[in-house]
Each structure stands twice: as structure tokens, then as C-alpha cells.
Amino acid sequence: MTEVNVAIAGCGQWGVNHVRTFANAPGCRVSWLADTDPKRLAKARELARGAKTAPELEAALKDESVQACVIATNSESHHALARKALEAGKHVLVEKPLALSAKEAGELVEIAGRKGLVLMVGHLLLYHPAVNYLKGLLDKGELGQILYLYSVRVNLGAIRRNENALWSLAPHDISVMLYLTGQQPTRAIANGKCFLQKGIEDVVFFSLDFPGGQVAHAQVSWLDPHKIRKFTVVGARKMAAFDDMEATEKIKLYDKGVNQEIRYGSYDEVLTLREGDISIPYFRMTEPLRLEASHFLDCVRDKKKPLSDGENGLAVVRILEAITQALKSGKPVEI
Ligand SMILES: NC(=O)c1ccc[n+]([C@@H]2O[C@H](COP(=O)([O-])OP(=O)(O)OC[C@H]3O[C@@H](n4cnc5c(N)ncnc54)[C@H](O)[C@@H]3O)[C@@H](O)[C@H]2O)c1
């Protein structure tokens, strides 16, 4: 396996997970760590011994032996750092959201395409074995057509100052909605409130309409007594729930639904409730970040298009923009 030489920018609360994961990934060497905070840099270096350190990513970009960069800094610097890394000829994995506007996200997609570089976004849930199990159920027709789906992603914290709960939390929900439906939404409606900081929503409720008639709804908040990370998919045949707070029983499959029957001798349609078994399917659980990192390294080695590529990151940012517009105007927004 060819070794991939990686530089990581941003060794904060989440970034250290990238440092640990890439440092332990087979066929990978973490050769540079960058963070403007020297304390965080020193702590991260304990996880990737031998890595050189710098306050900025620029030093690593000048190193010709570095093939790929992981950008896990605060969202407002994603675009500038990713652009510099791509322009320096490095493959890039950027944390979500890819950028803070569709214009900036589109620019990154364009540069990566022109230079033939891998651009991947950290839409972590697309690498979650439970989400892939759900996707498999849908692809096999086990749930029937999706009628609607909803997600709840709430907790007390982490409160951010430079982005609202929508941009901080919802990229995950939106990326899963796109993945499971296999469609792009056409319309967004939203409601949200700023309680703690002026102009920064702590709680956002939004719905997306899909061309197939499905609707996807989400509630995201960092001001909530519960820690909930849950998706529910209501299909025409069966229903399923993915609860990421469950240690082992992450997916429950409900053989529940409503049968529409035409009774013999009558033209009336009769709706009968079907209350069947609830099952807990087995699937092999592996840490999603490990799978995400390994996919990125494979894409770099084989010049493959990642599952969460730049286009996918751009699609999510476009939807975040539409939801933001719906939030501000209080009106539905066509996407
Ligand atoms: N995929 C996930 O599940 C997940 C989870 C949490 C956070 N995130 C994302 O990860 C990113 C970081 O989040 P966090 O919680 O670690 O934030 P954080 O504030 O804890 O860490 C950010 C770090 O980046 C450093 N930094 C900022 N600008 C820099 C620059 N220009 N050059 C070098 N270092 C710089 C800061 O000093 C800090 O240490 C965010 O984009 C966030 O959305 C993703």
C-alpha cells in the first residue's frame, strides 16, 4: 500500500480526532500539524509523534512530500485554507460545512476539478455503518418508497459564536437526507430563534420538499435538555429508526404500516393498521471517522471520486443557504 503523507490543520476539539485517526490509519503518515493555538498543537503532537508543527498550514503546503491536507479549523477558514491547499496541488478533506456560501464552495469544486485533485467533505454520517445499513434496506425495497423522514439533533452545547445551530449541526442531517432519498430538494421552509446571542439561532426547525413527493424535516439545537441523535424513516412498507445514542441497538425496523384495501363488493377503500414485529438488525459497527479517513486515503491513492465529494459539499451548502433565506424571510424558498 502506497503511503500517503498528510498535513492536518486545526487540532481543536474535533481536529484531534482526525489526528488520532490518521496517525493510526494503515498506509498513512501525519507529517505536519498546524494550529494557531500552541497548547492545542502540543497536545495533538502527542498523538502523531514525529509530525512537524506550525501555527499556519502554509509551511506544510511548501513541503513537496505532503500529498493531502485535512482541514478541521473553524468553519469560517475552510474556504481560504482549502483553496490554498488545492492551489498548492494537495488533495483535500475539509470538515463540514465545505464553505460558508455556495459561491465559495463552487470555487473549491472548480479548482479541484481543474487540477484533478480529490476534494472531500467530512459528512461523517455517510460513513456510519448504521446509515449505510438503512441505505441498503431502502435500495433493496425493504421499506418501500420513502414517504417522509425526520431527524432530531439536539443537545446542550457546543454553543458556537461564528455560526448558528443550523450551519453547525444540520450539514449532517442534510447529507443523510440527500443520501437516503437519492434526490435534491426543491423547496425549503424554516423557523428558528436566537435566545443566547443576537442574530445566531440556537434552535432551527426546517423542512425540505423532494421532487418525488417526500418531505424531510429536522430539528437542530444546542439549547436542549436532551442529547438526541435520531433519524426516523417512514416507508410505504415498513418504518425504521436510527438512534446514534444507543450503544449497540442503533437500528430498529418496524413492520408497521397502513394497508389500503378495496373490499370485495364495495368501492370503498378501507385503511387497516398493520402492527407487525419490531426487529433489531445486526450490522458490524466500525468507528465512522476511521471509515471516512480510510475512504479519503483510498481516493487519494486511486484518484477516486469520494462519496462525500466537493459536489456533495456544495449541494449541502446550497441547501443551508436556502434554509437560511427561509429563516430570515419567514417564507418558503425554492432551491
Ligand atoms: N464531522 C463531525 O462530526 C464534526 C464534529 C465537530 C466539529 N466538526 C467540524 O470541525 C471543525 C472544527 O470544530 P472544533 O469543534 O474542533 O472547533 P475548535 O474551535 O475546538 O477547533 C478549531 C481549531 O482550529 C484552530 N484554527 C483556527 N483557524 C486556524 C488557522 N487559520 N490555521 C490553523 N489553525 C486554526 C483553532 O486554534 C482551534 O484549535 C468545524 O468546522 C466543525 O464544524 C465536525
Side-chain angles (χ1 to χ4, degrees):
M1 191 190 286
T2 348
E3 193 175 66
V4 181
N5 205 350
V6 174
I8 300 177
C11 306
Q13 279 188 15
W14 184 248
V16 287
N17 294 321
H18 280 292
V19 177
R20 170 182 50 80
T21 308
F22 278 95
N24 290 310
C28 174
R29 184 154 63 92
V30 177
S31 55
W32 281 93
L33 296 172
D35 199 299
T36 41
D37 181 336
K39 279 197 201 134
R40 287 186 148 175
L41 205 48
K43 232 174 156 192
R45 197 158 180 273
E46 289 171 19
L47 300 168
R49 296 201 177 273
K52 295 182 197 119
T53 58
E56 305 286 348
L57 182 64
E58 277 73 4
L61 298 184
K62 286 185 196 134
D63 181 341
E64 285 190 0
S65 72
V66 170
Q67 289 139 286
C69 292
V70 176
I71 295 165
T73 55
N74 313 74
S75 309
E76 61 270 25
S77 55
H78 287 180
H79 168 255
L81 290 180
R83 192 176 65 186
K84 277 184 197 165
L86 290 168
E87 277 168 354
K90 316 293 184 195
H91 303 285
V92 173
L93 165 61
V94 196
E95 256 315 326
K96 52 82 199 163
L98 172 57
L100 294 184
S101 72
K103 185 171 175 280
E104 289 181 346
E107 190 187 48
L108 298 178
V109 171
E110 187 278 318
I111 301 171
R114 176 161 42 83
K115 294 189 141 251
L117 294 165
V118 172
L119 173 62
M120 176 165 149
V121 188
H123 291 158
L124 182 68
L125 287 182
L126 302 195
Y127 304 94
H128 196 305
V131 171
N132 279 296
Y133 189 87
L134 264 184
K135 176 76 175 151
L137 288 177
L138 285 163
D139 289 350
K140 281 186 282 180
E142 189 86 6
L143 304 183
Q145 276 215 325
I146 295 180
L147 301 178
Y148 71 95
L149 64 139
Y150 62 94
S151 69
V152 184
R153 185 171 304 281
V154 299
N155 194 15
L156 191 61
I159 298 159
R160 302 210 180 245
R161 294 195 170 279
N162 300 323
E163 61 188 353
N164 62 10
L166 174 75
W167 286 77
S168 176
L169 301 167
H172 290 306
D173 306 282
I174 296 169
S175 67
V176 173
M177 288 166 178
L178 300 185
Y179 187 47
L180 295 184
T181 61
Q183 298 179 42
Q184 296 293 326
T186 50
R187 202 174 83 125
I189 57 170
N191 193 7
K193 288 285 172 215
C194 314
F195 299 109
L196 306 176
Q197 302 171 89
K198 201 167 169 236
I200 300 178
E201 283 79 5
D202 307 294
V203 56
V204 177
F205 306 86
F206 69 86
S207 295
L208 300 171
D209 282 337
F210 286 84
Q214 301 92 339
V215 62
H217 179 83
Q219 173 181 351
V220 291
S221 170
W222 56 45
L223 184 60
D224 196 286
H226 312 286
K227 178 161 185 171
I228 307 177
R229 300 275 182 266
K230 195 166 176 177
F231 268 92
T232 305
V233 181
V234 175
R237 285 191 60 219
K238 288 185 184 172
M239 306 175 185
F242 158 40
D243 185 348
D244 209 8
M245 297 314 294
E246 285 281 349
T248 50
E249 301 175 356
K250 287 186 184 285
I251 289 196
K252 289 202 175 80
L253 193 55
Y254 299 83
D255 187 6
K256 288 179 187 242
V258 177
N259 297 335
Q260 291 172 289
E261 297 161 14
I262 305 282
R263 291 255 167 100
Y264 182 70
S266 153
Y267 291 106
D268 286 344
E269 200 175 77
V270 179
L271 301 177
T272 51
L273 302 186
R274 185 167 42 75
E275 296 263 12
D277 290 342
I278 301 171
S279 54
I280 299 169
Y282 171 79
F283 59 90
R284 198 182 143 78
M285 190 57 204
T286 311
E287 191 192 357
L289 191 60
R290 189 135 63 89
L291 297 172
E292 179 188 297
S294 148
H295 181 63
F296 177 62
L297 294 168
D298 285 346
C299 290
V300 168
R301 278 187 205 103
D302 305 337
K303 298 271 174 347
K304 275 193 313 194
K305 190 168 118 68
L307 176 61
S308 53
D309 64 352
E311 291 285 355
N312 180 239
L314 169 60
V316 169
V317 170
R318 226 181 245 137
I319 295 164
L320 287 167
E321 274 190 345
I323 298 169
T324 303
Q325 217 183 315
L327 254 183
K328 303 293 171 206
S329 68
K331 293 189 182 133
V333 170
E334 302 300 321
I335 305 173

